[in-house]
Amino acid sequence: MSKTLKFIGSLLAVLAIVLAVSCEDDDLSATAVNVTSVESDNFYPGDEVSMQGSNFEAVLFVFLENNQIPFQLDGDVLTFTLPDNAPIGEGTVTLVMPDGYIVTRNIEVVARPFPIITALSTSAAPEGGEVTLKGTSLNNVQSVTIGEIEASVVSSTTTELTITVPSGLEENLEAPITVVTSGGEASAPGKFYVGENLLLNGGFELGDGDEFTNWSKFNGGDGMTATTEDGEAFYGRSLRAVGVGGDAWRTQLASDAAATQTDVEYTLSMWIKGQPGTPGDGGNIRFSTTPDALYSANYDITAEWQQIEWVFTANASPASAVLDLGVVADAVYFVDNVTLVATGLSGPQPTEILLNGGFEEGDGDEFTNWSKFNGADLLTATTVADEVRSGDRALRAVGFGSDPWRTQIASDAVPTEDGVEYAVSLWIKAAVGPGDGGIIRMSTAGNGDPQYQADVTVTTEWQKVEWLLTANSTQTQIVLDLGATENAVYFIDDVSVLAPPQEE
């Protein structure tokens, strides 16, 4: 009853307007206005409504309930836009002509659907990179943010939304993507990183047939194919892999070598699900690297898409990411968006201040930026592959015996700040022989009192020796004291002095 009374009141208001202008429009008073069709019976607030009909030139006003709405005519088509605050539910559209003549048509105004994001084109992109979101109801965008910074919208349809990563976000860190439309708010699934994906073609979009550009099938190649089928592809083109069974490495796909840095933390992730009804509905898989293989724990895979990730510290430069999918025989996996991000390089980074720490520069057995303090004949260059950790050249040192300082080489002085802590390190291994390495240490020289590291026992495998040094001078030399063990043979490479990050 109240709705009827409200409409009658609205109509009386309409008639009052019509009567006020009808005396000026007598030539239109006998025109019959017909609405033959409306493009739809259901509309969202803010939608444009188009009516097909005849004699619309007689229309003076258009009302939705008691609200007048601007309209446009184009021959036999009358269009108007519903207000953004149009009430949800059935509504009456009234066309008003001269002499109180009206035509009505009911339409249904429905709530705009809630946005849903089902997938991303990539799990990592740098500033200025584009990311496409797949889902439903992704049009009518009001805002998109990555982290807390608004991203620009490149294009928007009901099922796809493409955005650009904005500036001002910290690289190599996770930043959630949030979309706000007139229907609600949605967050992208999984983790998205602002930064470069170090793996080329991590989304498997590139490649002919069942081959994947920038990836190599190490084992079980016939069981690894491309798929674009709905329900199998996470986004676009994905990997379909069938487990050979027995060992994880029996179905194995490896990326091209990525530009990793040793001793830096990386996060390797991918989206994966198993096919229902196949053995184990996915079973379990793992990540690994090559060369100098590192292995993740095993991950249980379900029949639903999930993003799994592994955090590791690189031990080789460069290195490839390997997907080990073979442990469960006949298990079927769908894999996409394999992503490698240098999460250990997020935020301000320490600064290398030592020159020629890898001993690459120098002639013969001399080393640029280094001085032989004692036992010069015992300090030579080596280019033997097994004696060099990185690059082409390393230091070979033989212990004189008796005292650490009797075989001794020192870096050029580096600028330091009194009271500030520096991370000093080197890589070393010993040849099989006297003491199988014995002991060494690092010390300092410069315009402050000498400082000494505790003795370190050296083995026949490469090991990293680290020393946190609190500077006591403005100029500091790093001294390698290698003489304690007589005739011990050492190979030293990649000496480093890292100054702490500068606060932004």
Side-chain angles (χ1 to χ4, degrees), residues 130 152-156 161-164:
E130 289 189 358
S152 59
V153 175
V154 177
S155 62
S156 173
L161 171 63
T162 300
I163 59 176
T164 300

Side-chain angles (χ1 to χ4, degrees), residues 292-330:
D292 301 329
L294 298 170
Y295 298 96
S296 74
N298 292 332
Y299 297 85
D300 290 327
I301 306 305
T302 71
E304 299 295 329
W305 284 110
Q306 62 176 309
Q307 186 184 40
I308 60 174
E309 67 174 23
W310 173 40
V311 179
F312 68 97
T313 299
N315 64 349
S317 176
S320 296
V322 184
L323 313 183
D324 296 330
L325 310 170
V327 68
V328 179
D330 298 322

Side-chain angles (χ1 to χ4, degrees), residues 147 170 172-176 190-194 343:
E170 194 167 347
N172 299 316
L173 285 183
E174 178 190 356
K191 294 183 178 181
F192 174 80
Y193 290 89
V194 176
T343 46

Side-chain angles (χ1 to χ4, degrees), residues 107-194:
I107 63 171
E108 186 77 16
V109 181
V110 296
R112 192 171 293 280
F114 195 85
I116 297 174
I117 305 170
T118 58
L120 301 178
S121 60
T122 179
S123 296
E127 175 186 332
E130 289 189 358
V131 183
T132 298
L133 288 63
K134 184 174 73 173
T136 57
S137 304
L138 297 178
N139 51 352
N140 298 291
V141 174
Q142 295 179 344
S143 69
V144 182
T145 55
I146 301 180
E148 297 182 353
I149 298 180
E150 188 158 353
S152 59
V153 175
V154 177
S155 62
S156 173
T157 68
T158 300
T159 57
E160 286 194 350
L161 171 63
T162 300
I163 59 176
T164 300
V165 178
S167 60
L169 291 161
E170 194 167 347
E171 286 195 4
N172 299 316
L173 285 183
E174 178 190 356
I177 300 177
T178 303
V179 175
V180 179
T181 72
S182 54
E185 177 178 309
S187 296
K191 294 183 178 181
F192 174 80
Y193 290 89
V194 176

Side-chain angles (χ1 to χ4, degrees), residues 236-261:
R237 184 174 186 259
S238 297
L239 165 69
R240 181 184 188 272
V242 181
V244 170
D247 296 293
W249 56 264
R250 292 185 181 275
T251 301
Q252 194 174 51
L253 187 71
S255 73
D256 284 353
T260 54
Q261 300 178 38

